[in-house]
Amino acid sequence: MEIFQKYVSKFDMNDEMILLKYKHSLRVASLTKLIAKNLKMDDKAINLAYLCGLYHDIGRFMQVKKYHSFDDLNTIDHGDLGYKIFLNEIAIKKDLSPRDESTIAKAIMYHNKLKVPSKLTDNQKEYVWITRDADKIDILYQMATINGLMPLDDNEVSKEVHEQFVKYEPIDHRLVQNATDKNLLILAFIFDLKYKESLKIIKDNKFLEKLQKRLSDKKYEVYFKILNDYIKERFKC
Ligand SMILES: [Fe+2]
């Protein structure tokens, strides 16, 4: 934690974007720890999951400093950048085994990629999945709790977005045409959570109820019903 704090202290905490990512990193670290605990991992593995969460967005700080943007497509891939920063500036100061160092670096690199590559070891994949789940849960948390993150709009849901959602499929971002679609894309993160233990966090913290209070427009009702059905089904088996 000290090494993380020291690295982050080089950036301007008065910058809202930096502060947002700082707080997000700490919450995702707690979430990776919680998922690992729910998965009944041992203490060493729980700590490794925690470090994956803490450092997963380490590339964001330099990205914001350089470009003042979170737009990976038009600036730099923050997973790739974080991978390099972790290995060159963080890992050398930490007392990690080469195996743990590589696991964290891979979790950073692949937390934001479309797919988790099959070339990773099963062990590495597990930490990538935990990190991805924790990241998504925190985005849902932010949407449910932080004012101003959710633009309300008058548009109806696009047909293709609706079709993917009713099939319990994550929404392809290329289909997003308006703010309503964008909200559904984030809600559909729930379909993409790998672990039942991650869904348990959504359930235990009543995130769906909180999100529904925010998205109170009638057009969202059917989608919350679908999400509740999906969660019920996942917990039946
Ligand atoms: Fe990220």
Side-chain angles (χ1 to χ4, degrees):
M1 188 68 153
E2 273 167 46
I3 296 168
F4 172 80
Q5 296 291 4
K6 214 167 172 190
Y7 177 80
V8 174
S9 70
K10 294 190 289 189
F11 298 89
D12 180 10
M13 280 295 161
N14 294 316
D15 181 332
E16 261 182 42
M17 291 171 89
I18 295 284
L19 187 63
L20 189 76
K21 285 300 159 188
Y22 171 70
K23 289 182 177 169
H24 168 69
S25 299
L26 297 184
R27 285 193 307 263
V28 171
S30 303
L31 284 164
T32 44
K33 195 173 173 180
L34 186 56
I35 296 168
K37 267 189 193 165
N38 287 350
L39 285 166
K40 312 251 181 307
M41 292 169 108
D42 64 29
D43 285 352
K44 203 176 159 296
I46 291 171
N47 190 47
L48 189 57
Y50 174 83
L51 292 175
C52 292
L54 187 63
Y55 288 108
H56 83 287
D57 258 354
I58 200 72
R60 283 295 197 197
F61 299 98
M62 195 47 89
Q63 182 186 34
V64 170
K65 189 172 178 176
K66 266 193 168 172
Y67 305 100
H68 221 259
S69 165
F70 294 140
D71 181 353
D72 281 12
L73 283 179
N74 292 308
T75 63
I76 192 164
D77 182 301
H78 76 279
D80 295 354
L81 177 63
Y83 175 87
K84 282 188 208 138
I85 290 171
F86 178 75
L87 289 179
N88 296 331
E89 298 183 45
I90 311 265
I92 48 165
K93 294 182 188 147
K94 286 181 99 70
D95 191 17
L96 293 164
S97 69
R99 189 172 184 251
D100 288 353
E101 184 179 302
S102 165
T103 301
I104 301 168
K106 296 275 171 14
I108 296 170
M109 167 90 102
Y110 293 111
H111 86 273
N112 67 332
K113 302 296 183 289
L114 213 54
K115 287 211 167 101
V116 179
S118 51
K119 66 177 181 191
L120 298 184
T121 65
D122 285 348
N123 187 261
Q124 287 172 341
K125 276 184 203 153
E126 188 167 28
Y127 288 92
V128 175
W129 284 120
I130 291 173
T131 307
R132 289 166 73 106
D133 274 15
D135 197 17
K136 290 196 179 82
I137 294 170
D138 193 60
I139 293 170
L140 287 160
Y141 163 80
Q142 290 181 52
M143 190 170 162
T145 56
I146 302 175
N147 284 327
L149 275 191
M150 219 158 36
L152 289 176
D153 76 314
D154 300 331
N155 293 299
E156 288 306 310
V157 179
S158 302
K159 190 169 169 277
E160 291 91 346
V161 169
H162 172 85
E163 280 167 3
Q164 285 197 306
F165 202 102
V166 296
K167 282 192 269 177
Y168 295 163
E169 278 174 13
I171 309 299
D172 184 335
H173 69 271
R174 286 167 299 191
L175 299 176
V176 170
Q177 291 179 24
N178 55 55
T180 308
D181 291 347
K182 179 86 200 295
N183 287 334
L184 286 185
L185 175 133
I186 294 174
L187 289 179
F189 281 174
I190 287 177
F191 304 137
D192 212 17
L193 293 176
K194 174 86 173 166
Y195 297 110
K196 215 155 118 176
E197 288 73 10
S198 304
L199 273 179
K200 188 175 165 351
I201 297 170
I202 300 282
K203 257 176 75 152
D204 291 351
N205 291 285
K206 300 199 182 324
F207 279 168
L208 275 188
E209 290 85 333
K210 287 176 188 159
L211 283 161
Q212 194 159 16
K213 265 192 199 143
R214 292 256 161 157
L215 295 170
S216 55
D217 192 295
K218 243 186 149 357
K219 70 186 166 191
Y220 290 108
E221 257 174 34
V222 57
Y223 302 105
F224 280 103
K225 162 113 182 44
I226 292 167
L227 286 169
N228 279 308
D229 289 346
Y230 171 78
I231 290 178
K232 262 185 222 145
E233 276 178 36
R234 283 272 311 253
F235 278 92
K236 247 185 244 157
C237 45

